[in-house]
């Protein structure tokens, strides 16, 4: 029962926000070890009898093959559909995975468990070495041949302008010292009485390439303070970006020292929802206590893959529409909004999308340079549509 209990912790207590493997891997590993030990030494226990149920035994027999075969099915289904899989497709994949796993177990695993000429160590190692050489040669050929683009003669690798995020200076990718950030270098627009602090991750940084074209509308000195994978949440601890907490704490010092009265928070909120948005509300409350006016820009569109691939796929299917279903829950922004009391919340999806579909190009220019970060053209359009203006009347975009 202790083994089952440890497995239950692994199933129900570990979430996407917890570090793994780390110490959390001990729960399923020790739990499994206990069950194996009991099964070998006390075959008449309740736990053993539960695990001897024939459907569970069958799943156990094909489990390794099931683990192997479900990956290519899953990968190719997503790669070819470019959309979130519906329940029917998911069910078909499950049935296909079980069938392929049973076939693999019967005709691949089982023969190799028997002592035959081709399963002796010598032939096995020789075949494995040959397979590795062939795969490495194929991979090297693909890399040297740039993916053999002649396979798709109608695919055009159009250049997309990303703009200057000032990587390593204003946009920290995890390799720069936080102390090296400089307000003078990271003031992206100048000449106005109002200074606005843009704080967030790469989904905040992707707006900076559209600032110049909208400078007359914005009427503000925009200061960029961004860090990849680090949301503008004071309490957020990143297992990947260990400096994230210190980076965010430093933002408060900058705001106080520069006497900044307006802050825009933006991030890839869909990545952080698993931990909840309580920290966002606390951050807003902290800023409000300092006398700061806060704007929160919600989640902007994300697609299943690079928009150039989507455009190629759409062209092959003779689709004239330059919009595509977003690869995220469109209700994300309503959930973010509920944790932005005291701030002005702006929902990009209401300005850029309709009925769950979002345009990925505008007048022949891609609005994104990958799956969801704005290109220069996209940032220019987005800012013109929904960013707040900071002239004398502090005009705001009309909400929908």
């Amino acid at each position: 029962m202790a083994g089952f209990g440890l497995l239950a912790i692994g199933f129900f207590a570990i979430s996407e926000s917890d570090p793994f493997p780390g110490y959390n891997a001990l729960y399923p590993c020790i739990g499994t070890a206990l069950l194996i030990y009991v099964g070998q030494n006390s075959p008449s226990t309740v736990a053993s009898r539960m695990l001897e149920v024939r459907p569970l035994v069958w799943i156990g027999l094909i489990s390794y093959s099931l683990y192997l075969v479900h990956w290519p099915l899953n990968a190719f289904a997503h790669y070819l559909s470019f959309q979130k899989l519906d329940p029917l497709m998911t069910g078909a994949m499950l049935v296909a995975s079980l069938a392929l796993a049973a076939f693999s177990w019967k005709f691949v695993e089982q023969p190799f468990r028997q002592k035959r000429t081709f399963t002796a160590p010598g032939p096995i190692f020789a075949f494995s070495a040959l397979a590795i050489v062939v795969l490495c040669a194929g991979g090297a050929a693909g890399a040297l041949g740039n993916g053999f683009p002649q396979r798709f003669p109608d695919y055009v690798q159009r250049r997309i302008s990303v703009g200057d995020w000032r990587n390593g200076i204003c946009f920290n990718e995890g390799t720069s010292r936080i102390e090296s950030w400089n307000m003078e270098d990271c003031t992206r627009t100048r000449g106005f009485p109002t200074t606005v602090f843009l704080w967030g991750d790469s989904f905040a940084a992707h707006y900076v390439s559209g600032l110049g074209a909208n400078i007359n509308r914005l009427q503000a000195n925009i200061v960029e303070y961004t860090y990849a994978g680090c949301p503008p949440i004071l309490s957020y601890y990143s297992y990947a970006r260990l400096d994230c907490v210190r980076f965010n704490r430093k933002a408060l010092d900058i705001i106080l020292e520069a006497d900044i009265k307006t802050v825009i928070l933006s991030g890839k909120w869909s990545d952080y929802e698993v931990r909840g948005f309580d920290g966002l509300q606390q951050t807003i409350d902290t800023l409000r206590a300092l006398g700061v006016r806060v704007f929160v820009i919600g989640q902007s569109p994300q697609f299943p893959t690079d928009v150039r691939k989507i455009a190629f796929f759409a062209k092959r299917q003779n689709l004239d529409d330059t919009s595509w279903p977003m690869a995220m829950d469109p209700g994300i922004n309503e959930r973010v909004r509920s944790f932005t009391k005291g701030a002005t919340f702006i929902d990009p999806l209401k300005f850029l999308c309709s009925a769950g579909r979002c345009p990925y190009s505008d007048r022949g220019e891609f609005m994104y340079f990958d799956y969801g970060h704005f290109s220069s053209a996209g940032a220019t359009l987005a800012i013109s549509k929904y960013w707040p203006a900071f002239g004398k009347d502090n005009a705001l975009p009309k909400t929908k």
Side-chain angles (χ1 to χ4, degrees):
M1 296 314 295
F4 273 123
L6 289 170
L7 285 181
I9 292 175
F11 272 111
F12 302 113
I14 301 175
S15 70
E16 292 180 24
S17 64
D18 294 312
F20 196 89
Y23 67 86
N24 283 312
L26 291 174
Y27 298 118
C29 289
I30 294 176
T32 300
L34 288 174
L35 290 174
I36 292 173
Y37 176 80
V38 169
Q40 290 178 328
N41 296 279
S42 305
S44 62
T45 63
V46 174
S48 297
R49 288 196 295 273
M50 289 174 64
L51 293 173
E52 287 171 357
V53 176
R54 291 189 67 84
L56 293 182
V57 172
W58 184 72
I59 291 293
L61 287 174
I62 68 168
S63 61
Y64 190 67
S65 286
L66 181 60
Y67 170 76
L68 292 177
V69 302
H70 94 279
W71 280 117
L73 286 173
N74 188 43
F76 280 111
H78 281 88
Y79 188 82
L80 293 174
S81 69
F82 288 168
Q83 297 185 39
K84 183 179 179 180
L85 302 182
D86 58 33
L88 182 62
M89 177 61 75
T90 302
M93 287 170 55
L94 177 60
V95 172
S97 295
L98 290 170
L100 282 173
F103 181 88
S104 173
W105 173 77
K106 177 72 174 177
F107 297 104
V108 179
E109 281 193 57
Q110 289 301 99
F112 274 86
R113 292 180 185 276
Q114 301 172 15
K115 290 185 178 181
R116 296 180 179 178
T117 302
F118 68 88
T119 61
I124 288 293
F125 279 103
F127 174 79
S128 299
L130 178 62
I132 290 171
V133 169
V134 171
L135 287 172
C136 287
L144 293 173
N146 195 30
F148 307 118
Q150 59 271 24
R151 293 179 300 147
F152 305 106
D154 50 342
Y155 179 80
V156 179
Q157 183 75 7
R158 278 191 280 169
R159 182 179 176 84
I160 301 176
S161 174
V162 176
D164 182 14
W165 294 13
R166 295 192 182 168
N167 299 53
I169 301 172
C170 308
F171 176 60
N172 194 324
E173 296 176 279
T175 57
S176 306
R177 291 179 66 251
I178 291 172
E179 290 73 20
S180 63
W181 183 91
N182 183 282
M183 187 161 177
E184 179 66 23
D185 294 335
C186 296
T187 301
R188 306 306 303 266
T189 57
R190 300 175 183 274
F192 304 98
T194 302
T195 297
V196 177
F197 193 69
L198 174 61
W199 174 12
D201 58 17
S202 61
F203 275 70
H206 71 171
Y207 286 109
V208 299
S209 58
L211 294 174
N214 288 285
I215 189 170
N216 292 329
R217 175 183 174 276
L218 294 175
Q219 295 284 302
N221 311 315
I222 308 294
V223 178
E224 179 190 357
Y225 188 74
T226 53
Y227 194 146
C230 180
I233 298 175
L234 291 170
S235 61
Y236 188 87
Y237 180 82
S238 171
Y239 300 107
R241 305 293 192 193
L242 300 181
D243 282 339
C244 184
V245 171
R246 194 158 59 89
F247 176 83
N248 284 333
R249 290 292 174 184
K250 183 176 170 62
L252 293 182
D253 296 334
I254 296 169
I255 290 167
L256 285 171
E257 291 170 8
D259 194 28
I260 295 172
K261 295 302 181 184
T262 304
V263 171
I264 294 177
L265 306 178
S266 184
K268 188 181 179 185
W269 305 114
S270 58
D271 274 2
Y272 312 124
E273 185 174 17
V274 68
R275 299 211 202 162
F277 294 126
D278 292 339
L280 174 60
Q281 184 64 69
Q282 293 166 6
T283 301
I284 293 169
D285 293 342
T286 300
L287 291 171
R288 295 283 294 162
L290 298 176
V292 174
R293 185 182 187 188
V294 183
F295 293 86
V296 177
I297 297 180
Q299 181 63 58
S300 54
Q302 296 177 61
F303 298 94
T305 187
D306 191 302
V307 294
R308 283 168 289 199
K309 292 181 181 179
I310 292 176
F312 173 70
F313 179 84
K315 182 180 178 182
R316 282 206 156 187
Q317 297 294 317
N318 295 318
L319 301 176
D320 295 328
D321 189 4
T322 58
S323 67
W324 201 260
M326 65 181 85
M328 57 185 229
D329 180 1
I332 176 71
N333 282 337
E334 287 306 311
R335 295 193 291 276
V336 176
R337 184 195 296 271
S338 63
F339 290 91
T340 60
K341 295 179 179 64
T344 300
F345 183 78
I346 301 170
D347 185 351
L349 302 183
K350 292 183 181 296
F351 294 88
L352 299 177
C353 308
S354 178
R357 297 176 68 92
C358 310
Y360 53 83
S361 68
D362 180 60
R363 288 175 290 187
E365 288 192 86
F366 284 116
M367 294 173 59
Y368 308 83
F369 65 81
D370 56 10
Y371 71 94
H373 291 98
F374 286 124
S375 63
S376 294
T380 299
L381 180 66
I383 290 176
S384 72
K385 280 182 173 290
Y386 56 79
W387 258 50
F390 301 96
K392 292 181 180 179
D393 57 352
N394 273 339
L396 295 176
K398 294 179 179 179
T399 57
K400 292 186 178 180

